[in-house]
Amino acid sequence: MPDILIVDDSEAFREMLKSILISGFPAMRVREAQDGNRAVQAVETKVPELIFLDVRLPDENGFELTRRLKVAHADVIIIMMTSYDSPEYKKAAFDAGTDFFMSKKTSTPEDILQRIASIFPSG
């Protein structure tokens, strides 16, 4: 089962997303980081297959963090999941190397689980 890292400064959001992921994929390993530095440390410890990443972090923006992570680990899948779901943010996310872009405002638990299932079909 895949190893997933959630990078978001909101503990409530991390817990909610973790709950959704585990409800659909009980054997999934889900780790958390609340900022860019802790995310890099987590990735250095064990490279996850998938990272959910927020745009706004206390120490770094998600676009720069995506670039850094993709340089070091090109195969890691990054889903930018943010409340900033304007076309400009979406374009910036893809320009940075994000694989998928999801809105915190409009994505349902079913949307999240379907995205995971499409990435890991044998999941």
Side-chain angles (χ1 to χ4, degrees):
M1 192 40 79
D3 182 70
I4 294 184
L5 177 63
I6 301 170
V7 183
D8 197 295
D9 59 331
S10 167
E11 183 177 356
F13 179 78
R14 291 193 315 267
E15 288 300 317
M16 187 255 327
L17 183 54
K18 182 177 182 177
S19 175
I20 290 168
L21 296 173
I22 291 173
S23 75
F25 303 93
M28 184 175 286
R29 179 172 184 220
V30 181
R31 297 181 290 148
E32 302 173 40
Q34 63 260 37
D35 59 42
N37 288 326
R38 286 184 177 91
V40 170
Q41 291 171 354
V43 170
E44 288 173 355
T45 301
K46 182 183 184 314
V47 180
E49 285 82 9
L50 172 66
I51 300 173
F52 278 94
L53 182 58
D54 193 12
V55 170
R56 294 214 175 209
L57 298 169
D59 58 351
E60 184 170 14
N61 75 57
F63 307 127
E64 284 304 316
L65 184 55
T66 295
R67 286 184 190 92
R68 287 178 48 203
L69 292 170
K70 285 291 193 169
V71 166
H73 308 284
D75 291 340
V76 71
I77 298 166
I78 297 179
I79 298 175
M80 186 78 64
M81 191 160 197
T82 181
S83 298
Y84 302 97
D85 58 357
S86 70
E88 296 81 14
Y89 273 85
K90 189 173 188 175
K91 181 183 181 325
F94 285 118
D95 288 348
T98 297
D99 297 283
F100 301 99
F101 187 90
M102 297 184 80
S103 169
K104 286 182 181 179
K105 293 177 184 176
T106 60
S107 295
T108 65
E110 292 76 22
D111 294 334
I112 295 166
L113 294 175
Q114 286 175 357
R115 173 63 61 206
I116 297 295
S118 74
I119 294 168
F120 304 111
S122 60

